Each structure stands twice: as C-alpha cells, then as structure tokens.
Amino acid sequence: MLSQCLAIARREFFFIWRDKDLRYILLFGPLLGLLIFYGTYSHQVLKDIPTAIADLDRSRASQELVKNIRGAENLKITAYPESYDELEDLIKKGTVVAGVVIPENYGKDLSLSRQTRVEMIVDGSNMIYATNATSAMLSVSHTLSAQTGVKTLVARGIAPAQAAAAYQSAEFREEAWFNPTLNYAYFVVLALALNIWQQCCTLTACMTIVGETGAASWYQFKSLGISRLRLFISKSAAQIITFMAVALPVFFLAFAVFKLPLRCGFLLFFLFSLAFATALHSVGTLASSIAWDPVNAARFGMIIALPSFLVSGYTYPLESMPGCLQIIAKILPQTWYFQGINLLAFKDPGWAFMSQYFLAFLIIAAVCYTVSAVIVARRT
Amino acid sequence: MTPLINVKDLKQTIGKQKILNGLSFMLSAGECLGLFGGRGAGKTTLLHILAGIDRFKSGSVEILGCDIRKSEAFKKRLGLITQERSLFRDLRAYENLEFIAVLKGAGTENITALVKRFELNNILGEPVNTLDAGVYQRLSMACALLNKPRILLADDLINDIDPRSQHIILRELNSFISGGGSCIWSFSRIEFCRATGKVGWLENGTLSLYSPQEAQELWDSRLRLIEQQSGENDA
Amino acid sequence: MKQILYITYYETIHIFKDKILLVLIFFVPLLYAFFFGAVYSQGILTGIPLAVVDLDHSALSREVIKSFENSPRFSIVQDITTYPLLEEGMRKSVIRAGVVIPENFARDADLNRGTEILTVYDGSNLIWGYNIRKYTLEVVNQFNTGHASSYMAGLGLTKKEITNILDTLSTNIDVWYNPTFSYTSYMLYGLIMLVIHQICLLSASLTVTREKEKNCWIQFLSSPLPAWKIFLGKSLPYFLTGFFNYVLLIWFITRFVQIKIEGSVFLMALLGLLYTVVIISAGFYISLKAKNSLQATRFIMLLSVPLLMVSGYTWPQTHIPAFINNFASLIPFTWMAEGFRNIAVKDLGAGCLTPVILALSLMSITAVLLAVSFAKRKNRPMKIFNDHF
C-alpha cells in the first residue's frame, strides 16, 4: 500500500520534472524573483532624495539656510536653479522631487524682523518619495522656525534663556520599531519573492486534476483499482513537498546571504509556510476541478493568485479597505500568509498568537479539498 | 514541357534522424503520383515541404517555376489536404468553405459547384468537428480545390473512410487530373496503388518510382519472403 | 482589404465562441478595476491606532496628548496605558504607533534636565511607517508652535506680537500634484496600466498558438496570403478591444473612485493607442514563437509583479541600480505607467512627455515589424513528437 503511494508520488515528481516549463518555473521563478527584487531595492533605504534649492537672495543668511538644508537628513541637493520657473520645470520633469525657494531680500527681512516666507515644494505624485521628502522638510522647518523665533525674541529684548525656553517645550525622540532604519528592502523583498513562489505553486497545483498527470493517466490508475483518495493524497503530498523544496533555496538566500530579518525561529517560519502551501494547494485543486483543461485551470488559478498580494494588505493596510473586501481577503490563504510573514519576520508574536493563522489555513484547506472532491465525484 | 514540380536532392532531418535523404523527382501536368510508404516513412514531411509549410535542410524544390524557398506565389495554384484534421473547428462546414476561399484569395463563386460535386449539401450547416471521417475528407478536398489549383497535394486521401466517400473522392480526383491538374497523394495501403498513375515508394529517405503493377508485385514478393522466413523459423 | 476583414471576422467569432476568452477580454479587466478601486477607495491613511503611555499626568503631558487627539490622522486606543502593553500591542499589530511621556516629564523639562518624549511607530510596514512618521512630525511641529505662543503670552506679549514673531519666517510645505497623499492617485493608474498590459498580452498571445494546437495554422501557411495580412486581420479585434478596455477602465475608475484626473485627453488617447499597438504586436509575436497556449499563459502571468516593481513606478528609479533601469526601459509598461501618471496626476504637456511618446512609438514600430515579418514556414522540428512525419 505504501509502496503504491510512493510509486504514485514518484510519478508525480517525474511529471513535474519532465514538464520543462514547469520545471524552470518552479526551480528558477522564485529565486529569480528574489534576485530581481533584491537588486531593485538594493539601495534599501530611501536616502538622498533629489532636491533643488532656488536661492533668490544670495545673502549670508540665505547661504546659512542652504547649509542647513544640505545637512538635513535624507535630502540631497542636486540642483541650484536660478529662478522659481526653473525649479518648477525640474519638478515637472521629475529631475528633483523636492524644492526650496528662498525669497529675495530673505536676509534683509530677517535681520529687520520683517516677515518672510520660505517656500518648500514636494512632488506628491510618488507616495514613497513624497512622504519621506515631507518628513525631511518638516524637520527642517521645525529647526528653522525655532532658530528664527529665538533670534526674534532676543532682538525684542527678551532674555536668551527665556527665548530658548519658549521654543524648547519638549524634546521629541522618534523610534521606528521592528525596522529602525526604515529599510524598504527588509519590508518588501522577501514578501515579493514569496509572492512569486505562491504564483508558481498555484500554477503547479492547478494541474492536479486536469493536467496530463490527471486526465490521461486517470484510466490507467482506475484500471489498477487504486482508491481515488489514496491516489489524490499521494499526488498532493508530492506536490506540496515540491513546493517546500523549491522554497528552501529562497529562504536560504534571503536569510543567510541577503540577511533579511527573521525574528521568529526558522522552524515556526517553515511550518507556517508548509501550512500555507497546503492551503494553497487546496485552492489550486479547486481551480483544477472547476476547469476542463490545463490552460483554463492556469487562468483560474492566476486570476486569484495575481491580485491576492495587493488584497492581502501587505502594503496598503487591510484595515483601510472597505469591510466587504476585508472579508473576501480573509477567504484567501494568501492574506493570512502575507500578514503572517510580516509578523514573523519583524515581530515574533509567539506560537500562541500565530495559532489562529494556522487554524485559518486548516479551514481553507478542508473546505477547498471537500468541494473539489464533491465536484470530481459528480463529474465521474 | 516544363515540369510542374521539380525536386532535386531534397534532404530533411529531424533531430539527428534523416527523414529524406536526397530525393529527386519531377511531375508534369496531368500526372498523378501516389506516395507510398509505411508509418514514419516521411510522406507527410515531403508533402509539407512541397506545400511550403516546412523548411528543409538542403536541395532545391521548384513548383510552377518558382523556387519555393524564395517565393510564395506558387501557393495561389496549390491545394492541400492534410492528414490531421486542419479545418477550422469552431466554424461550420459552409463557413469553412467561405473562409478558406478568402484565405486563398479565391472567389466564393466556386463553392456552389464544389458542394454539389462533393455532395456536401446536407452537412453545410454542421460544425466540422462532428463530421464523419469520409464526409470530412470530402469537405477538405472541396476546400483544397476552391482556388482551382494546378497542383493538389493530399495526405492520406482515402484511408479508412466509407466506400461512398472514397468513390466520390476518386471520381473528383480523376476529373481534376483529366482537367490538366497534377496530384501527389499519399497512402499506406498497397491496394490503393491502382488508383494512381505511378507510385513513388518512399523508403529509407529515398523515393523509387514504379508503375502500379510493379509496386503491387514488389509488395507481394516481399510478403512472400516474410512468410518464407517465418516458416523456416517455425520449423 | 476584404481578406483582412474576413480574418478579423473569423477571429471575432472565435472570441465570442470561446467563453473564457470572452470573459478574459470583456469582464476580467473591469473586475480588476473594480477590485483595485475598492482596495484603494479610502485612499488616505487615517485613524491610525495610537497608544499614549502617560507616566507624568501633568498639564504639559496632557497638552501633548491633546495635540495627538486633535490630529485627524490618529485614533487613540484607550486601554493601552503602560509600556509593556504598548510593546505587546505593537507586536500584535493592534496599534501602529505610540507616544511615551516619561515620569516627571514636566518638572524635568522645566528644570532643563534633558528629558524627552518618545514617539514610536511600526517600521515593519513602511506604508504605515512613512506616513506615521510624517503625521507625527506634523503634530510635533504644531505642538511646538502652540507651546511657543502660549509661552510668549505668559511673557506678556500681545496676540498680534506673537503672531508676528511666529510668522517672521513662515515655512510653507506645498505638496504638488497629490496634496492629500492619496494612495489611490498614487497607485491605481499604474495597476490599471498593468491590467491592460497583461490582458492584451495574454489574449493576443493565444491567437496563433491556438491555431497551431488545432492544426489550422497549416491553412494559413499553405495559403498565398502575405504575413502582414494575417497579422493585421488576426490582431485587429484584440487591438480594438484593448483600446476599448483602456478607455473603459479609465472612465470607470475616474467615475466611481475618488481619483485625480487632469491633463490632455488627446495625449491620453495617443499614449493608449501606442501602448495597445506595442502590446498586441508583441503578443502576436509571442504567439508565433510560443510552443503552446499553456506555456504562453504561464510565463505571461508570472511577469505581472516583477514588471510593476522593476518599472520604478513605486520605488523610484533613482534608487534602482542602472542595469535594472536599463532593462526596465525596454518594457512598454515602464514608460506607459510613468507617462500616464505625468498626464493624469501631474498634468504635464506634450513637451514633457516627448521621451515617453518617442519610446512608445519606437517600440510600436519594432513590435509591428517583428510581428509582420514572420516567415510563413515552420522550422524543421527538433524532436519527434508524433509517430507520423
């Protein structure tokens, strides 16, 4: 009995191996994905946001301000346009993302305590740039107004200590937990690579019932009198083992070579991925039982697998999506997985907390396998 | 008279296997060549090269005076019937006739006559997928003749189909030949050789030409040889 | 001309008979647009769960808390009041940010004893992280200004004097193009362009592979029809539906989702036209080369995510290594996504879009040339699949 199962499982391995496209996709897809994404985010931290300063004043005071901005965290001054129009043009073309305009007579107005206005411009079209540039500008603006404020108060004859106290209400220190350097690569690279992995696995799982390994050899198996359940379990086990085998080099590269963070123990992470692979396989099987040929099964599977990452709330948070969509998202195993790996990689909330995620995978797998069994039983 | 088809030293390999190994032959107007050989002898390979579908390794093929490597013009006067079903499955019989006529750049005015000659009237509205082999073959031949070709290439023309369809197809083939067309058609059962003008026996990548009687005799003598040998072995 | 139209007619009949293809072309794009539109319908991150651990309970600490309460961005979670609870809440993602005011904060601050308020935020999701950081800085700046003005009032300065002093140097941060930091205006157009890209590529890439699988391709090869007519006839329906989807999806999201749309309609149409021509031609070319439909489907679908990430639409190109940027510049999506954003969100004119238009035109010409110049001959098969030759 066991030898039968092993023989079927072996045939399944060989099938995946002989299907050249599937072999390349599984072997190289996730790894290539990891490499591409790691390359793309190799700067890791969004420093050096290209910024332009239009100094229309060219006084000592304005020069000091320029120095101040140059010292600001995350900004890199790449251009010194001569006029406002020129600055506008640079932002339009996307050459710079942020700009500062120091008005004419800035130094003179300041020394006379006359009002003056420094214009800071941020291109809001790319969110990643815009939030960071705005934060940098806010810091600059904070120190700038404090400095000028103290000076103005002193000029009005208020004691320097008191003037300083007015602007020194409270010191704020900020800390980014779990990812203190705000490393974008840490945030997305692993998740994106595993997203490719889950897509590759979906493609394979979609072949369970309708693929060549299913339909054509179905009669062979049938004539041998092997129970359908045993056949299915052996095939599925072979596929799920393949999924995990394919993921291992990705994990190795990600954690050992690229040093992406993993706060929890590797065992928990591995088991979590295994549970997900099983749930994913059940969804693929369902797609496979609904479709009538491999191409359509692949399409069904991918229609689910493609948007699942976006809907999972890994980037744009689930909490900010409409309620009904949150419910739909929670039906998909991908949502639980991507939410889960974020927790495991950065926060390690412990086995007890993660148990609800395991439960979710279990329920999804049970439902999908049952439904596909019913569909297959009805058809034959 | 210049030959319609002139093949010189044609070679074709698939992977490392030599399928055609230096074939040469000519075919003139009004001739009918039956291409005979077992499964895998290279009949389809040869016909697909002549139809300008497949590339070939070396040699030269001239059809209607064109070098088929350089020109597409000969396809205007060519009809092809394939071994595997190649009509448009999701179209009905009539739609196939119409569509293929357009593809061939021929007018649709031939359709009515061909439908009548091939006795296709009853099945015009049916999807080609559901047609019986014999009817399908008649339809394929009608499609191939839409552009009034001078050369007809037919792969497996009358194998395993009903006698009625066989009769119609052979009748139309004869009228095509007597109208000055020339034809190459392949078959794998020796008894069909009587329906050809001459037999091209394809074996080991080369072509030997025989008259139908010679081909039949050669086949019979081979059969006798095999019987003798197996008789000796049994003894 | 009649031949081309007839091929188009046949292809259209096929689309309508193949239910899945029909759904893929006319329903899936809209479904995705609806889906993504719903995902980003809120658009702006608000109501960020924030915990305040006030160990001081002074007037000053309450003033700090009030500034956070007043910010529309944060919503304060009441029952987390100690540091360990804050830690646990952050770990379980119940809260995304926290403020910790140390004991004796007000007194120490008064005595200049170097004390500070700790603001923490979740860096594990940087969409949260970046935004919370910005919001926190806004609140802190506001608090400081408020504090300074009340301090000055304590020194006996009049309201007018205080305003004058505070306004001596006003630093105004002007966020152009997307002042509300709407995630919708940021992401949705890119995703829509990706949907168009993938659907067009997928549908067009099956037109020849399908014929090959059904053996009908022989009918085309053995006919005297020139290659360009086959290409034109077969790709015309996909081109038309592709452009139709482009218009439909843009109309749909601008009609039903809060998204900024500005700029010249003519430019949008031009880009859409070029974009669909490139993709459909490329899809046709792929379908000539692909072994079978399954292969084409699999590889094209796997492309989606890498295409988006590599394009520099989200993570900016300035921070992507040159070799990846060079590679990305060969992909029409890269140009289209950025180009469309420049029109719809940044309202740029033809002058700024010249490189995009040039690149897409060049790609169209190349793709069309590749697609029409196929040889109407099959290569000699490399392996023996069937038992007949």
Side-chain angles (χ1 to χ4, degrees):
Chain A
M1 191 174 132
L2 189 69
S3 67
Q4 248 182 2
C5 290
L6 282 178
I8 297 169
R10 223 181 74 154
R11 204 194 98 64
E12 192 67 29
F13 282 130
F14 272 111
F15 170 74
I16 296 174
W17 185 257
R18 287 211 188 115
D19 184 338
K20 231 200 239 162
D21 298 335
L22 209 54
R23 181 173 72 200
Y24 289 146
I25 284 174
L26 280 171
L27 274 182
F28 302 117
L31 271 179
L32 203 64
L34 180 65
L35 289 174
I36 290 175
F37 297 136
Y38 191 74
T40 305
Y41 298 104
S42 56
H43 273 66
Q44 305 208 348
V45 182
L46 198 80
K47 282 182 195 151
D48 302 337
I49 299 167
T51 309
I53 301 177
D55 183 357
L56 306 180
D57 187 39
R58 299 184 180 284
S59 63
R60 264 218 359 241
S62 74
Q63 227 107 87
E64 196 154 317
L65 178 56
V66 170
K67 220 171 95 188
N68 223 324
I69 299 169
R70 225 191 276 143
E73 183 193 30
N74 294 345
L75 295 183
K76 184 181 179 190
I77 315 303
T78 52
Y80 294 93
E82 302 281 324
S83 64
Y84 184 86
D85 291 341
E86 210 178 306
L87 175 72
E88 194 177 340
D89 201 46
L90 287 173
I91 291 182
K92 269 189 179 172
K93 284 186 177 147
T95 323
V96 299
V97 176
V100 179
V101 186
I102 305 171
E104 280 172 62
N105 302 326
Y106 167 79
K108 207 162 119 197
D109 288 343
L110 213 56
S111 61
L112 295 172
S113 291
R114 278 205 304 241
Q115 285 186 14
T116 176
R117 180 185 165 105
V118 174
E119 189 79 19
M120 296 177 168
I121 301 157
V122 173
D123 174 353
S125 63
N126 184 327
M127 188 84 132
I128 293 180
Y129 259 153
T131 44
N132 281 290
T134 311
S135 293
M137 290 297 193
L138 280 167
S139 304
V140 172
S141 128
H142 172 55
T143 37
L144 205 59
S145 41
Q147 279 173 1
T148 353
V150 172
K151 267 186 207 157
T152 322
L153 281 178
V154 172
R156 285 188 175 231
I158 287 163
Q162 268 183 325
Y167 280 92
Q168 232 170 32
S169 55
E171 282 293 315
F172 286 85
R173 181 164 58 93
E174 58 162 67
E175 264 179 23
W177 281 6
F178 312 119
N179 183 9
T181 51
L182 297 183
N183 189 317
Y184 206 81
Y186 286 179
F187 168 41
V188 290
V189 169
L190 179 68
L192 288 175
L194 290 177
N195 183 31
I196 301 284
W197 173 66
Q198 65 94 3
Q199 289 177 6
C200 295
C201 293
T202 307
L203 276 181
T204 314
C206 286
M207 306 289 282
T208 322
I209 293 174
V210 286
E212 268 178 69
T213 163
S217 346
W218 201 250
Y219 301 107
Q220 283 281 344
F221 286 121
K222 235 178 176 176
S223 64
L224 289 173
I226 300 170
S227 90
R228 212 179 273 168
L229 182 72
R230 200 184 306 159
L231 175 66
F232 180 72
I233 290 178
S234 318
K235 281 169 66 121
S236 307
Q239 289 198 352
I240 294 169
I241 290 170
T242 312
F243 295 169
M244 293 316 291
V246 167
L248 279 177
V250 176
F251 293 159
F252 175 76
L253 204 61
F255 300 128
V257 181
F258 295 154
K259 306 279 181 211
L260 300 178
L262 182 67
R263 282 285 297 274
C264 73
F266 185 73
L267 181 69
L268 176 58
F269 188 79
F270 184 83
L271 288 178
F272 187 68
S273 300
L274 179 65
F276 168 66
T278 313
L280 192 68
H281 183 261
S282 75
V283 176
T285 307
L286 187 62
S288 172
S289 67
I290 296 170
W292 47 91
D293 67 46
V295 181
N296 285 321
R299 286 176 181 167
F300 284 158
M302 292 312 260
I303 284 178
I304 304 168
L306 284 179
S308 62
F309 183 75
L310 282 175
V311 183
S312 78
Y314 189 86
T315 50
Y316 187 75
L318 204 57
E319 294 93 314
S320 300
M321 294 177 201
C324 56
L325 206 62
Q326 290 187 32
I327 296 169
I328 296 175
K330 280 181 181 159
I331 298 172
L332 297 175
Q334 285 93 342
T335 305
W336 296 91
Y337 188 58
F338 289 118
Q339 293 281 340
I341 57 171
N342 189 265
L343 286 168
L344 292 176
F346 289 105
K347 301 179 174 179
D348 189 20
W351 287 83
F353 186 76
M354 294 311 290
S355 62
Q356 51 175 319
Y357 287 77
F358 280 95
L359 186 69
F361 290 141
L362 202 71
I363 294 171
I364 292 167
V367 171
C368 289
Y369 280 138
T370 315
V371 173
S372 34
V374 170
I375 293 175
V376 172
R378 274 197 166 179
R379 194 174 290 173
T380 41
Chain B
M1 199 168 77
T2 53
L4 294 185
I5 299 181
N6 190 357
V7 176
K8 277 189 198 141
D9 199 25
L10 176 64
K11 284 184 184 164
Q12 175 74 310
T13 53
I14 296 178
K16 279 180 184 162
Q17 197 178 352
K18 285 178 185 163
I19 304 295
L20 303 177
N21 195 10
L23 276 185
S24 303
F25 71 95
M26 284 191 255
L27 197 72
S28 311
E31 278 191 299
C32 174
L33 176 70
L35 204 55
F36 176 70
R39 264 191 164 192
K43 302 187 295 282
T44 303
T45 307
L46 177 59
L47 288 173
H48 281 194
I49 289 173
L50 295 180
I53 295 171
D54 284 358
R55 290 199 173 88
F56 51 93
K57 192 168 178 241
S58 65
S60 77
V61 178
E62 269 180 32
I63 294 179
L64 297 165
C66 312
D67 179 345
I68 67 163
R69 284 200 193 210
K70 289 173 189 150
S71 165
E72 291 272 301
F74 68 100
K75 289 183 179 174
K76 275 185 197 138
R77 312 307 308 274
L78 192 85
L80 173 72
I81 303 164
T82 57
Q83 182 184 38
E84 271 188 89
R85 291 186 168 205
S86 65
L87 298 180
F88 295 89
R89 279 180 218 188
D90 45 356
L91 297 184
R92 293 165 197 286
Y94 186 76
E95 291 171 322
N96 260 291
L97 283 164
E98 219 176 43
F99 185 47
I100 292 174
V102 175
L103 286 187
K104 291 180 168 222
T108 46
E109 62 277 358
N110 289 335
I111 294 179
T112 331
L114 282 167
V115 166
K116 204 172 153 201
R117 271 160 45 198
F118 283 93
E119 302 178 16
L120 296 168
N121 256 319
N122 297 332
I123 53 98
L124 284 180
E126 284 180 43
V128 294
N129 234 1
T130 57
L131 295 179
D132 286 339
V135 185
Y136 189 94
Q137 204 66 355
R138 268 148 52 195
L139 179 63
S140 298
M141 186 154 170
C143 287
L145 294 176
L146 278 168
N147 54 333
K148 296 192 173 155
R150 294 197 63 193
I151 296 170
L152 181 68
L153 302 171
D155 202 352
D156 238 358
L157 189 59
I158 50 174
N159 243 9
D160 299 329
I161 58 173
D162 60 286
R164 172 99 195 112
S165 300
Q166 258 184 31
H167 172 76
I168 297 172
I169 288 174
L170 289 178
R171 184 188 73 203
E172 289 308 318
L173 184 64
N174 285 330
S175 90
F176 170 74
I177 306 264
S178 52
S182 54
C183 168
I184 302 181
W185 62 286
S186 74
F187 58 98
S188 52
R189 280 163 59 178
I190 193 71
E191 57 267 33
F192 293 144
C193 71
R194 268 165 273 150
T196 65
K198 57 180 176 178
V199 174
W201 193 313
L202 196 56
E203 202 169 32
N204 300 325
T206 51
L207 189 78
S208 328
L209 295 177
Y210 302 99
S211 73
Q213 286 89 341
E214 285 169 343
Q216 181 75 52
E217 280 162 22
L218 185 62
W219 179 260
D220 291 343
S221 72
R222 284 198 188 178
L223 274 185
R224 277 196 298 276
L225 194 66
I226 294 166
E227 273 165 23
Q228 260 174 24
Q229 277 171 351
S230 65
E232 277 163 21
N233 287 346
D234 290 347
Chain C
M1 194 59 205
K2 189 184 159 202
Q3 283 177 318
I4 296 172
L5 286 181
Y6 218 93
I7 298 174
T8 304
Y9 170 69
Y10 162 68
E11 196 67 28
T12 315
I13 287 183
H14 175 79
I15 294 173
F16 279 94
K17 281 188 179 165
D18 183 345
K19 298 249 161 45
I20 300 266
L21 189 60
L22 193 67
V23 166
L24 192 72
I25 291 179
F26 287 105
F27 182 65
V28 172
L30 207 57
L31 178 80
Y32 274 162
F34 174 76
F35 215 56
F36 295 147
V39 168
Y40 300 126
S41 56
Q42 191 180 319
I44 301 157
L45 280 190
T46 49
I48 293 163
L50 167 93
V52 180
V53 179
D54 182 4
L55 304 174
D56 189 35
H57 298 290
S58 64
L60 185 60
S61 76
R62 274 191 290 277
E63 205 181 317
V64 172
I65 295 168
K66 200 149 185 206
S67 325
F68 278 95
E69 272 172 350
N70 286 341
S71 162
R73 307 301 185 199
F74 294 106
S75 101
I76 294 184
V77 178
Q78 293 299 341
D79 45 349
I80 294 177
T81 47
T82 64
Y83 194 76
L85 280 177
L86 171 81
E87 267 186 328
E88 201 198 323
M90 288 286 277
R91 182 157 294 169
K92 290 184 176 166
S93 302
V94 181
I95 45 171
R96 294 290 179 169
V99 179
V100 183
I101 305 168
E103 274 179 83
N104 303 325
F105 167 70
R107 208 184 64 202
D108 290 349
D110 220 27
L111 297 171
N112 278 331
R113 264 205 214 144
T115 178
E116 56 193 8
I117 294 172
L118 178 67
T119 60
V120 301
Y121 55 94
D122 191 339
S124 72
N125 178 335
L126 284 178
I127 304 299
W128 283 114
Y130 289 155
N131 278 292
I132 298 173
R133 176 156 190 255
K134 180 172 71 72
Y135 293 157
T136 312
L137 283 167
E138 279 166 6
V139 173
V140 167
N141 275 12
Q142 218 152 38
F143 169 77
N144 278 326
T145 317
H147 184 80
S149 82
S150 57
Y151 191 94
M152 283 182 239
L155 291 176
L157 293 171
T158 65
K159 224 174 197 166
K160 200 176 163 215
E161 282 173 316
I162 295 171
T163 336
N164 272 340
I165 292 169
L166 288 177
D167 284 350
T168 310
L169 177 63
S170 65
T171 46
N172 182 42
I173 301 182
D174 198 1
V175 179
W176 284 4
Y177 310 128
N178 184 11
T180 54
F181 290 88
S182 154
Y183 207 79
T184 324
S185 302
Y186 160 54
M187 262 321 263
L188 203 49
Y189 287 128
L191 290 175
I192 294 299
M193 293 310 139
L194 191 62
V195 170
I196 298 286
H197 189 277
Q198 293 300 79
I199 297 289
C200 286
L201 199 57
L202 203 57
S203 48
S205 73
L206 297 181
T207 98
V208 178
T209 45
R210 166 171 43 85
E211 307 281 19
K212 281 189 204 157
E213 276 160 18
K214 290 186 183 166
N215 211 26
C216 310
W217 189 231
I218 285 184
Q219 298 287 358
F220 286 96
L221 292 183
S222 65
S223 76
L225 214 57
W228 67 269
K229 279 189 179 172
I230 299 179
F231 162 70
L232 219 59
K234 278 184 131 330
S235 53
L236 202 60
Y238 298 102
F239 173 71
L240 292 176
T241 50
F243 191 73
F244 166 77
N245 272 324
Y246 174 77
V247 176
L248 177 74
L249 260 52
I250 292 170
W251 171 80
F252 180 83
I253 57 167
T254 48
R255 174 79 180 71
F256 294 106
V257 184
Q258 281 249 318
I259 191 166
K260 182 177 170 181
I261 180 125
E262 283 179 359
S264 132
V265 175
F266 170 74
L267 275 177
M268 286 181 201
L270 178 67
L271 284 198
L273 215 64
L274 290 171
Y275 191 52
T276 30
V277 168
V278 183
I279 300 165
I280 298 295
S281 315
F284 185 85
Y285 184 72
I286 291 172
S287 83
L288 286 167
K289 298 285 159 189
K291 256 194 315 196
N292 53 49
S293 313
L294 187 60
Q295 187 189 39
T297 308
R298 279 172 172 171
F299 282 104
I300 288 172
M301 285 188 158
L302 285 176
L303 276 180
S304 315
V305 180
L307 279 186
L308 180 64
M309 296 305 153
V310 165
S311 72
Y313 188 78
T314 52
W315 184 254
Q317 275 192 336
T318 44
H319 289 66
I320 297 177
F323 72 96
I324 291 182
N325 280 335
N326 291 338
F327 168 72
S329 66
L330 300 174
I331 299 166
F333 172 77
T334 307
W335 294 93
M336 184 64 190
E338 193 59 38
F340 196 85
R341 174 153 73 190
N342 282 345
I343 302 174
V345 182
K346 292 175 88 167
D347 189 14
L348 299 189
C352 292
L353 283 159
T354 316
V356 175
I357 295 169
L358 273 180
L360 285 177
S361 310
L362 205 67
M363 284 179 185
S364 310
I365 294 168
T366 318
V368 169
L369 280 180
L370 273 176
V372 297
S373 61
F374 70 93
K376 275 180 63 194
R377 295 284 196 282
K378 285 198 281 187
N379 276 327
R380 287 177 291 130
M382 293 310 286
K383 257 194 295 181
I384 297 162
F385 316 92
N386 303 323
D387 46 9
H388 53 83
F389 306 113

